[in-house]
Every structure is written in structure tokens, then in C-alpha cells.
Amino acid sequence: QVQLMESGGGSVQAGGSLRLSCEGSGFTFRTYCMGWFRQAPGKEREWVSSIRIDSSTYYADSVKGRYTISRDNTRNTLYLQMNRLKPEDTAMYYCAARGECAVSWSISPSWYYYWGQGTQVTVSS
């Protein structure tokens, strides 16, 4: 079955960096559209970034210029490089996947079929 496993979260000070990874299994990774979302306590799940199967990338305004999404189809792994982290970036980060997506993408959580369990990112001031 489809599985997504995030890793790389942790606690950093403001201005620091982290790289999140999301390893996929049980599906043909290169044919799936992928995304990152985050959810802070008491808030709704928020779209962060998406990458299409042709590796075109999209970012929320709040992270543009600081975060970089990428994929390594040979390793079935999605990445999120996060630089210049801010306290407001603190959240649980989730990767999401959807197949049969052609070259589409979406900021809506309901568009994605599969989700990982999340990895916590905490940024202190």
C-alpha cells in the first residue's frame, strides 16, 4: 500500500535551517504529484509547497525565497529545504501525494490522496 514517511524535523533557533525528507513506497513515485503542508496547534492545515511530476515548483508567499522543494525520483524521496526559519514556521509538517495528476497541482489538502504521519518543526526566537 502507499506509504509516506517524513523525517528531518527538529528544534532550531530563528535563522537556522532544516531539511525535511519524505520517502514514498508502494507506488510509482515519479508519476505522483507531491506537496508539503503544515499545521500549527489550533490552526487549519496550511499549504506550503508543491512539485509536479515535471518538477515545476510552487510556494506559498510565506515561504517563498526561504524554502525549496525538490524530488529525487531515483530515491523515491521528496525534500523540503527550509532556510532562514522563523518562529511562525513552527508546525507539524506533512507530505502529501496524489497519482493520476498529469501536470496538475493544488493548494487544497483534499486534492491529495495520501499523507504521511508528519514531522515536527519548532523554531525558537
Side-chain angles (χ1 to χ4, degrees), residues 36-38 45-48 92-94 107 109 112 115:
W36 286 100
F37 289 76
R38 65 187 181 187
R45 192 162 295 191
E46 173 191 23
W47 173 71
V48 173
M92 186 73 79
Y93 282 70
Y94 300 89
I107 67 170
Y112 294 85
W115 293 84

Side-chain angles (χ1 to χ4, degrees), residues 11-74:
S11 297
V12 295
Q13 290 192 328
S17 299
L18 284 172
R19 187 175 82 154
L20 306 184
S21 300
C22 171
E23 184 174 358
S25 61
F27 63 103
T28 306
F29 185 85
R30 60 180 171 81
T31 68
Y32 274 56
C33 302
M34 305 294 294
W36 286 100
F37 289 76
R38 65 187 181 187
Q39 188 166 19
K43 295 189 176 182
E44 293 190 353
R45 192 162 295 191
E46 173 191 23
W47 173 71
V48 173
S49 182
S50 294
I51 185 166
R52 303 188 328 188
I53 59 175
D54 63 356
S55 293
S56 297
T57 58
Y58 305 88
Y59 299 94
D61 287 343
S62 59
V63 306
K64 198 173 294 182
R66 300 188 297 123
Y67 288 16
T68 303
I69 189 172
S70 62
R71 65 193 299 162
D72 185 341
N73 292 333
T74 65

Side-chain angles (χ1 to χ4, degrees), residues 110-123:
S110 63
W111 188 79
Y112 294 85
Y113 293 159
Y114 305 104
W115 293 84
Q117 84 292 345
T119 186
Q120 178 68 38
V121 171
T122 302
V123 185

